[in-house]
Amino acid sequence: MSVVTEFETGPRATNPVARSDRVFGTLTFAAAVVVLLTLLGVFVSLAMGAWPAFQKFGIGFLYTAKWNPVTDKFGALAPLYGTVVTSVIAMLIAVPVGLGIAIFLTETCPRILRRPLGIAIELLAGIPSIIYGIWGLFVFAPFMQSVVQPALIDTLGQVPLIGTLFSGAPYGIGMLTAGLILAMMVLPFIASLARDIFLTVPDMLRESAYGLGMTRWEVNRHIVIPHVRTALVGGIMLSLGRALGETMAVTFVIGNAHRISASILQPGTTISAAIANEFTEATTPLYTASLIALGLVLFILTFIVLAAAQYMLRRMKQKSGV
């Protein structure tokens, strides 16, 4: 009798658990759907707002550099060029420095200093972008104008082939200055993410490598980084997304000039900076639509970067046999 009763009450006891699992699954699925619907809504809103600009200029809006509100002639090439150049400069500087900081904190830093240095790096990530912009305009840009840019013009500016990149007058502001400010802003993200990723490497792998006679450089080069390269690529791509969409700090130091220059010392503009500077000044529907079209271009550019990151991660997993 006791066996029958136990058998009959068993399914009843599991019903609440199954019900809670179904509720939990439904809620998480709903959260994912909300994110997708929000993303789709943003895209549709941008596309509808940008339609008059694309209807007027067609696909030529993407490769036209002219931006003249007086004559209602607009093109996205100059802001798109500035966005890509400043982001590339930022990542070229921030990635190796950030990885170096992460390796130092996890491998060679004295234990007593690891926590204070880690907290200091994370605090840098919490500084508002407008603070970086103000500091960049009033402190960093004058330093660039009086020290760094003249030195670059006198040295690298005289080298064949690459000299064009460092030619022109030392304005202080410009794409190089904006790229350096962006590098300072994304550096804490890369360093913090890389440090946390490196800490996931099992100590047994390091100890085995040291036991085989490897140096610290060899352990990090051949053991640690290959073990977590997939996660590192993902973290770096997230930081690149932050650099692509940064607004206020770049607006202060890039010069806000709608032009394309081969020299990275010259003023330029980015998509986000152009929208922030000119949206309140858009007096015609076509002007407003063109600014919204810039936002749509940035949206698609960010999506392409993230999609490329996912593709790279998938290929890396396939090569590693995952």
Side-chain angles (χ1 to χ4, degrees):
M1 183 66 179
S2 61
V3 175
V4 175
T5 304
E6 191 173 297
F7 176 76
E8 290 176 351
T9 58
R12 296 178 184 176
T14 59
N15 281 338
V17 177
R19 191 181 304 114
S20 64
D21 285 345
R22 287 194 299 269
V23 171
F24 178 74
T26 302
L27 290 176
T28 54
F29 177 75
V33 171
V34 167
V35 172
L36 292 177
L37 290 178
T38 302
L39 188 66
L40 180 62
V42 171
F43 175 78
V44 171
S45 298
L46 289 175
M48 291 177 62
W51 175 247
F54 284 108
Q55 190 177 29
K56 173 70 174 178
F57 305 112
I59 195 66
F61 178 80
L62 299 177
Y63 54 82
T64 301
K66 188 174 183 179
W67 188 273
N68 192 340
V70 177
T71 59
D72 271 348
K73 301 294 183 181
F74 302 102
L77 185 59
L80 182 60
Y81 172 80
T83 300
V84 174
V85 170
T86 53
S87 299
V88 169
I89 293 173
M91 300 309 292
L92 288 176
I93 297 171
V95 170
V97 175
L99 294 181
I101 293 174
I103 292 174
F104 172 74
L105 290 176
T106 56
E107 300 292 335
T108 62
C109 180
R111 188 171 297 273
I112 194 174
L113 294 178
R114 288 182 182 179
R115 186 172 181 81
L117 289 177
I119 293 175
I121 292 172
E122 291 173 356
L123 286 176
L124 287 175
I127 298 177
S129 60
I130 194 171
I131 302 300
Y132 280 104
I134 293 174
W135 176 81
L137 180 62
F138 292 105
V139 178
F140 192 63
F143 173 74
M144 291 288 293
Q145 183 181 25
S146 59
V147 178
V148 178
Q149 290 186 355
L152 292 175
I153 294 172
D154 294 336
T155 54
L156 296 179
Q158 309 304 318
V159 178
L161 299 180
I162 67 170
T164 306
L165 295 174
F166 305 96
S167 61
Y171 294 106
I173 58 176
M175 288 187 290
L176 177 61
T177 304
L180 291 174
I181 294 294
L182 278 179
M184 296 178 193
M185 296 183 67
V186 301
L187 176 61
F189 292 94
I190 296 177
S192 298
L193 287 172
R195 181 198 60 183
D196 294 338
I197 292 170
F198 288 153
L199 289 175
T200 64
V201 178
D203 292 334
M204 182 180 62
L205 293 179
R206 293 187 177 92
E207 293 169 359
S208 300
Y210 286 128
L212 293 174
M214 286 187 173
T215 63
R216 284 179 174 174
W217 161 253
E218 291 173 335
V219 169
N220 285 281
R221 172 65 180 84
H222 299 289
I223 304 297
V224 176
I225 293 179
H227 186 76
V228 296
R229 62 181 182 272
T230 302
L232 279 179
V233 171
I236 290 172
M237 288 301 180
L238 286 176
S239 301
L240 175 58
R242 168 70 190 274
L244 288 171
E246 180 52 45
T247 303
M248 294 310 300
V250 174
T251 303
F252 275 90
V253 297
I254 197 170
N256 302 305
H258 281 273
R259 65 185 184 188
I260 297 177
S261 175
S263 174
I264 60 176
L265 305 183
Q266 302 305 302
T269 189
T270 64
I271 293 176
S272 54
I275 295 173
N277 277 324
E278 303 182 33
F279 203 83
T280 57
E281 301 176 1
T283 55
T284 63
L286 186 59
Y287 194 176
T288 303
S290 298
L291 291 173
I292 297 176
L294 287 180
L296 179 62
V297 171
L298 181 59
F299 182 90
I300 296 175
L301 177 63
T302 306
F303 180 81
I304 291 174
V305 169
L306 296 179
Q310 292 297 321
Y311 177 76
M312 290 175 59
L313 294 176
R314 188 176 295 109
R315 290 294 302 271
M316 292 171 69
K317 289 180 180 179
Q318 291 176 350
K319 289 183 179 179
S320 62
V322 178

